[in-house]
Amino acid sequence: MLNISQLESSLWEAADQLRANSKLNANEYSMPVLGLIFLRHATNRFNAVKAEIEKGLSSRGGKKRTILKDDFKGKSAIFLPEESQYQYLLNLPENADIGKAINAAMKAIEDETEMLSGVLPKEYTNFEPDLLYNLVRIFDREELRTATGDVFGRIYEYFLNKFAMSGAQEGGEFFTPPSLVRTIVNMIEPDRGIVLDPACGSAGMFVQTGHFVENRGEDASAKITFYGQEKSDTNTRLARMNLAVHALEGIIRQGNTFYDRWEELLGQCDFVMSNPPFNVDGVSPEKVKNDPRLFTEKKIPGIAAKTKAVSNANYLWIQYFYSYLNERGRAGFVMASSASDAGHGEKEIREELIATQAVDMIISIGTNFFYTKSLPCTLWFFDKGKPAERQDKVLMIDARNVYRVVTRKIRDFSEEQLQNITAIAWLYRGQQERYLGLVREYLNKTHQEAATIEDALTQLESPLVKLIQLLQTFSDSLGASLPLLKDLPEVEGLVAEDIANQNVETFRATLSELEAGIQELTAAREGLIKELQVHLAWFASQAKSLSTNEAQKECAARFALFIPQLKTLQKHINEVHKIGTRAVELAEKKLEARKQDIWDGKEVKKQREALDIVRDQAIFVIKSTLYMKAQVTWLQSRFPEAVFVDVPGLCKVVTRDEITQQDSSLTPGRYVGVTALDGEDEEDFEERMREIHLELASLNEEAVELAASIAANFEELGI
């Protein structure tokens, strides 16, 4: 499995080391490096789409026609001339001018793609040839040759943030985590018309919208026009690159959204989505006081006495998002958590917003979702086209306790967590069929995983049987005469003999324990498989009829009977593996088995490694089955009748009167309350232990880095 965090760190370290040994500063280095990442990604997309196109090409005389630029239209990739493909640059002869070749590659792409005209970096001749050759090789690692857009998105983001922290990007802006982008897209469902992001960064919102539309089997470029504005020149260029590499069309312009409004889009957008910079405090009130986007009576939330500037621009952004929407438009955006409760002028604006009845949903997000910031945030959603029955209501979701730990410093949503949060919105909107469709999907996946358990357990037999035979053969060879006692003085020999005999007894007891463990595992496996086969046959006969909540609940209840057996089986597998490992270690370390002719160390190692593999596979299959069933339980236990209900600690639909009673707060935690603590099960415990191990590993890495830095400082001081 690709470790993206490790890959990001490794790539950055390698690239930054090259810069440190060059004459370039971070500003000169950043955009060209990002250009190479873009070119690597563009080549990957080109190769993947090219393979798809070739399958459908007509042929004459056994030869297929040449692929044309037009073949790539609507295929989520840009056409790359041969000289612009990454492998072409890799295969340049040693005496070639690589800087000139990369500049030419970028220019050729601009000539083929109008949106990229003047956007791609072409300063590669400023680099030393050796530096460039090494950089090109860095981004040709095996992991990158087959990496998907999501991986490159993470790498883009990582490098952008690293450059920002090193001063190579003005303002040090950070970018929207994919989990939050996907949550916004899932909630507002941008599937047509005009989509605006007035703080578009590197266009992550647009790219995810493209995926959303494509997943519906439709062409995003044919259905949507993207409009983006970005203050940073670097981000503006990156946004255009990002759209181009995903074959999306849009207008990205550079400008300061506080002062540069898009007049023709006011009241015209079908969707607005954004992650604006939080808590900006330098906006000139004189320049914005007559801005038609500030539709509330208060307009400006407050002016700082010391600077005479707008004290906090959060509510300028919120008004902009509302004003760009048409009469049925939807908006989703990231906002500082403090904005939901802010007082004084911000509260007055919030009250006017609530009075419009367009505030639709608010979701609280926990800490550590952003790459370089640990702050929590809130997702706001407007819907000007809310039906009459929901116009006086707002859905509050507190998702601060919903997350997956990626590293000690980063959290995100798993695919299922994201779907489950989305399902809450479906029920709020009365879309029961979509909720039932998701539960059905989870049930299908649960049973698909369960169907692989028998084979995974069968694979355990061979290495276990062979390992037992090898260990038993060695045990049988241990008689009264122990070769490790030769040539010792009498007293020492007696002591050594006692110790050796104890080791033999321990080894044989462990071997007996292993045999007993295998018997228990076999009995548990046979009992489970027999019953599971009957259930899977029943499920196959019912699968097509699992469209009602009652049928789904019955199916889930039937499968729940297997959960204790699966957990017990998981323990047996781990226990047998642990005992087997201990038996081998006793033989080799305490009884010096490697010195005995009877001991086939090579075969023992082979069977141990085989056991490791099949054990991991069996545990993975069981855990995957339990995990998918847990998603069914998560939804059905909270929404047992497949209709929306308030769930303490998670979600609640509130009225405007209730919001007024809470001082016009839009903080979900003030409404949903807290959930009763459930007993911690084994999966919860394992997840918490995983978090602790991740944190410990991260702290150890930081300690090593700190020690190296201190040592280097001492060396410079001559200490």
Side-chain angles (χ1 to χ4, degrees):
M1 182 178 177
L2 179 62
N3 185 327
I4 298 179
S5 296
Q6 186 177 7
L7 178 61
E8 291 164 342
S9 177
S10 174
L11 288 172
W12 171 260
E13 184 178 343
D16 196 49
Q17 184 64 37
L18 289 176
R19 185 197 65 79
N21 294 322
S22 74
K23 299 176 182 178
L24 301 169
N25 61 38
N27 282 309
E28 294 169 319
Y29 194 62
S30 59
M31 196 63 187
V33 169
L34 293 168
L36 285 177
I37 298 173
F38 161 80
L39 189 57
R40 174 76 268 180
H41 183 195
T43 300
N44 282 21
R45 291 293 306 150
F46 172 83
N47 289 335
V49 170
K50 179 185 175 186
E52 291 176 14
I53 294 170
E54 286 176 335
K55 290 178 184 177
L57 286 179
S58 58
S59 60
R60 287 185 179 180
K63 292 184 178 181
K64 292 188 175 183
R65 70 165 175 81
T66 305
I67 290 180
L68 305 173
K69 178 181 176 182
D70 287 347
D71 293 322
F72 282 78
K73 288 184 177 178
K75 296 288 187 180
S76 299
I78 56 176
F79 177 77
L80 295 181
E82 183 183 358
E83 67 271 21
S84 297
Q85 295 170 30
Y86 208 85
Q87 57 267 30
Y88 176 86
L89 299 175
L90 283 166
N91 295 326
L92 285 172
E94 289 186 10
N95 60 350
D97 187 336
I98 189 169
K100 188 176 179 180
I102 298 176
N103 283 350
M106 296 297 182
K107 182 65 170 63
I109 293 174
E110 290 184 345
D111 291 342
E112 293 285 350
T113 311
E114 183 180 350
M115 186 170 62
L116 291 176
S117 180
V119 168
L120 300 179
K122 294 180 285 294
E123 303 90 23
Y124 293 97
T125 51
N126 297 337
F127 284 53
E128 297 171 8
D130 287 346
L131 172 64
L132 263 186
Y133 271 114
N134 286 325
L135 261 181
V136 170
R137 291 189 185 102
I138 283 173
F139 296 112
D140 188 50
R141 295 186 182 184
E142 182 61 35
E143 310 98 295
L144 292 179
R145 289 179 200 154
T146 55
T148 63
D150 289 342
V151 172
F152 276 98
R154 283 279 300 269
I155 294 170
Y156 260 126
E157 184 176 328
Y158 188 84
F159 270 69
L160 283 166
N161 281 299
K162 283 290 190 179
F163 282 130
M165 287 186 282
S166 65
Q169 187 189 5
E170 37 183 296
E173 292 91 347
F174 52 95
F175 295 84
T176 319
S179 284
L180 301 190
V181 177
R182 294 186 64 194
T183 303
I184 289 172
V185 170
N186 284 4
M187 294 300 179
I188 67 173
E189 301 184 304
D191 58 357
R192 69 194 183 283
I194 295 174
V195 176
L196 169 68
D197 184 348
C200 69
S202 55
M205 296 281 183
F206 298 157
V207 170
Q208 188 55 47
T209 297
H211 293 324
F212 175 78
V213 175
E214 287 167 11
N215 289 339
R216 293 185 164 196
E218 298 173 319
D219 181 2
S221 293
K223 297 201 69 177
I224 294 176
T225 303
F226 295 106
Y227 290 86
Q229 183 158 289
E230 174 57 43
K231 184 176 74 170
S232 159
D233 173 67
T234 298
N235 285 352
T236 302
R237 294 166 70 188
L238 283 169
R240 291 173 182 167
M241 284 191 228
N242 215 0
L243 286 184
V245 83
H246 288 91
L248 298 173
E249 297 179 6
I251 299 170
I252 307 293
R253 73 180 194 184
Q254 188 174 353
N256 185 329
T257 298
F258 292 120
Y259 310 128
D260 302 322
R261 60 180 175 267
W262 225 317
E263 298 279 3
E264 63 271 29
L265 295 182
L266 284 174
Q268 301 300 312
C269 297
D270 296 281
F271 301 95
V272 173
M273 50 207 306
S274 195
N275 173 29
F278 301 162
N279 305 321
V280 174
D281 58 4
V283 178
S284 167
E286 285 299 314
K287 291 183 178 180
V288 301
K289 65 181 180 181
N290 295 318
D291 192 327
R293 296 174 298 179
L294 304 180
F295 71 96
T296 61
E297 186 176 337
K298 182 68 177 175
K299 294 186 181 296
I300 296 174
I303 297 175
K306 185 176 181 180
T307 64
K308 305 302 180 185
V310 175
S311 54
N312 190 313
N314 288 341
Y315 275 83
L316 298 184
W317 284 111
I318 293 171
Q319 291 179 83
Y320 297 162
F321 301 146
Y322 179 91
S323 296
Y324 277 118
L325 292 176
N326 62 28
E327 66 278 1
R328 298 193 61 79
R330 287 181 175 180
F333 53 91
V334 189
M335 186 46 61
S337 294
S338 58
S340 306
D341 272 321
H344 306 294
E346 291 168 308
K347 178 188 172 185
E348 293 178 43
I349 295 174
R350 188 167 63 251
E351 287 173 337
E352 288 192 60
L353 277 166
I354 294 167
T356 67
Q357 300 183 321
V359 179
D360 189 33
M361 297 182 287
I362 305 289
I363 303 178
S364 288
I365 305 295
T367 58
N368 293 338
F369 269 71
F370 288 99
Y371 236 44
T372 58
K373 307 285 182 179
S374 62
L375 75 167
C377 66
T378 304
L379 305 184
W380 291 46
F381 299 92
F382 295 157
D383 185 353
K384 286 189 176 181
K386 278 201 294 186
E389 65 269 19
R390 293 207 324 269
Q391 284 189 351
D392 195 45
K393 298 174 181 177
V394 178
L395 171 62
M396 298 287 182
I397 299 177
D398 190 345
R400 289 176 296 172
N401 293 320
V402 179
Y403 59 85
R404 174 178 63 180
V405 175
V406 180
T407 69
R408 183 174 70 91
K409 296 179 180 179
I410 301 174
R411 295 173 175 176
D412 69 2
F413 291 139
S414 70
E415 182 67 30
E416 291 74 27
Q417 287 170 334
L418 182 61
Q419 289 281 64
N420 294 344
I421 292 171
T422 305
I424 298 173
W426 291 341
L427 291 179
Y428 161 66
R429 291 170 175 160
Q431 298 171 333
Q432 186 185 68
E433 287 303 311
R434 299 179 77 178
Y435 167 87
L436 292 174
L438 179 60
V439 175
R440 181 175 179 173
E441 180 184 329
Y442 285 159
L443 285 169
N444 284 332
K445 287 182 177 178
T446 300
H447 288 80
Q448 286 168 7
E449 294 289 348
T452 66
I453 290 175
E454 181 178 2
D455 182 61
L457 296 179
T458 301
Q459 297 299 318
L460 288 165
E461 290 182 21
S462 178
L464 278 174
V465 168
K466 291 177 180 177
L467 193 59
I468 277 283
Q469 290 173 346
L470 291 164
L471 292 170
Q472 189 61 58
T473 299
F474 177 69
S475 176
D476 293 343
S477 74
L478 298 173
S481 174
L482 299 173
L484 50 158
L485 304 182
K486 291 178 180 178
D487 302 323
L488 285 174
E490 185 177 354
V491 175
E492 291 181 24
L494 290 173
V495 174
E497 185 175 356
D498 286 341
I499 294 172
N501 286 330
Q502 288 175 13
N503 289 338
V504 170
E505 288 177 12
T506 302
F507 169 71
R508 285 175 171 158
T510 303
L511 189 55
S512 297
E513 188 181 354
L514 176 59
E515 291 171 338
I518 291 174
Q519 289 176 359
E520 291 178 3
L521 170 60
T522 301
R525 181 194 67 195
E526 290 176 352
L528 170 71
I529 294 305
K530 187 176 180 180
E531 295 175 22
L532 190 57
Q533 285 174 339
V534 173
H535 174 79
L536 290 172
W538 172 85
F539 178 78
S541 69
Q542 301 292 315
K544 293 182 180 179
S545 62
L546 290 178
S547 56
T548 67
N549 187 47
E550 291 72 21
Q552 291 178 354
K553 287 167 70 175
E554 180 191 356
C555 181
R558 281 173 176 257
F559 192 86
L561 299 175
F562 293 100
I563 293 177
Q565 290 174 271
L566 288 169
K567 290 183 176 180
T568 299
L569 192 61
Q570 190 174 312
K571 288 180 181 178
H572 281 315
I573 294 169
N574 282 326
E575 188 64 20
V576 165
H577 180 268
K578 182 173 70 175
I579 297 170
T581 300
R582 189 165 74 240
V584 172
E585 289 176 350
L586 280 170
E588 293 185 337
K589 294 179 180 178
K590 297 294 185 180
L591 301 178
E592 298 187 352
R594 290 193 183 96
K595 296 181 179 180
Q596 314 304 318
D597 293 337
I598 197 72
W599 183 257
D600 189 344
K602 186 176 180 180
E603 185 64 21
V604 169
K605 181 181 179 183
K606 177 182 175 182
Q607 297 308 324
R608 278 189 67 181
E609 290 175 348
L611 181 59
D612 287 345
I613 292 170
V614 295
R615 188 283 302 258
D616 290 346
Q617 181 60 29
I619 293 298
F620 175 79
V621 168
I622 292 172
K623 284 188 172 183
S624 297
T625 303
L626 293 172
Y627 175 77
M628 293 314 306
K629 174 59 175 67
Q631 306 314 308
V632 177
T633 302
W634 195 92
L635 289 172
Q636 290 185 338
S637 64
R638 288 160 177 79
F639 309 102
E641 302 307 318
V643 294
F644 182 87
V645 291
D646 296 340
V647 180
L650 178 64
C651 59
K652 181 181 176 67
V653 172
V654 299
T655 63
R656 282 200 295 153
D657 286 344
E658 289 177 281
I659 294 172
T660 300
Q661 291 168 15
Q662 290 290 338
D663 206 27
S664 297
S665 169
L666 290 178
T667 298
R670 293 185 68 164
Y671 301 95
V672 305
V674 295
T675 185
L677 290 175
D678 296 325
E680 185 175 69
D681 64 17
E682 188 174 352
E683 280 70 34
D684 294 330
F685 176 76
E686 287 182 1
E687 182 62 24
R688 290 186 63 184
M689 288 302 295
R690 180 173 170 274
E691 289 183 37
I692 291 169
H693 286 152
L694 281 170
E695 182 166 5
L696 180 60
S698 179
L699 289 171
N700 285 338
E701 288 175 8
E702 291 177 11
V704 171
E705 291 175 6
L706 181 60
S709 177
I710 292 171
N713 290 338
F714 279 160
E715 189 174 337
E716 287 181 12
L717 294 170
I719 298 176

